[in-house]
Amino acid sequence: LNKYQGFPAGHKIVVDSAAKELGVERRRIYDVVNILESISLVGKQGKNAYTWLGMERLDKVFGRLQAQAILEYPEDAKRYLDSSLEVTGNA
């Protein structure tokens, strides 16, 4: 991730090249790419190729996930908020 975070959006990542450059098995690159794809940091471009979408998308992605979690689990969200307020003394 450190290698790509400064790259501009649209940069092509080739799995075989990344594996060779990092000295790891292709499978390990796919493991990482699957995670990055799930949080919208990369997008599939074709066989063995992905497009870097950029780190600036993270805030929006995590905000969307947080909102979805609050809607799907309101009781857990309320419990978390209540416990956070107790810790800060704002209860």
Side-chain angles (χ1 to χ4, degrees), residues 1-85:
L1 189 58
N2 287 337
K3 176 179 177 45
Y4 295 103
Q5 68 183 358
F7 285 22
H11 179 80
K12 185 175 181 177
I13 300 169
V14 179
V15 172
D16 293 333
S17 300
K20 184 176 180 180
E21 188 175 322
L22 296 170
V24 298
E25 297 174 24
R26 281 179 28 177
R27 181 71 240 147
R28 301 292 68 92
I29 299 296
Y30 281 114
D31 290 342
V32 172
V33 165
N34 286 334
I35 293 167
L36 297 178
E37 193 173 18
S38 75
I39 57 172
S40 301
L41 290 183
V42 299
K44 189 154 180 74
Q45 190 177 55
K47 186 175 180 180
N48 298 327
Y50 292 82
T51 301
W52 175 250
L53 300 175
M55 297 288 286
E56 49 282 335
R57 303 169 64 95
L58 276 182
D59 285 344
K60 190 174 187 176
V61 168
F62 287 135
R64 189 177 68 238
L65 289 172
Q66 185 177 31
Q68 182 180 351
I70 290 168
L71 290 173
E72 291 182 16
Y73 305 99
E75 293 303 315
D76 291 340
K78 182 181 181 327
R79 208 170 22 256
Y80 174 77
L81 181 59
D82 290 345
S83 68
S84 294
L85 291 175

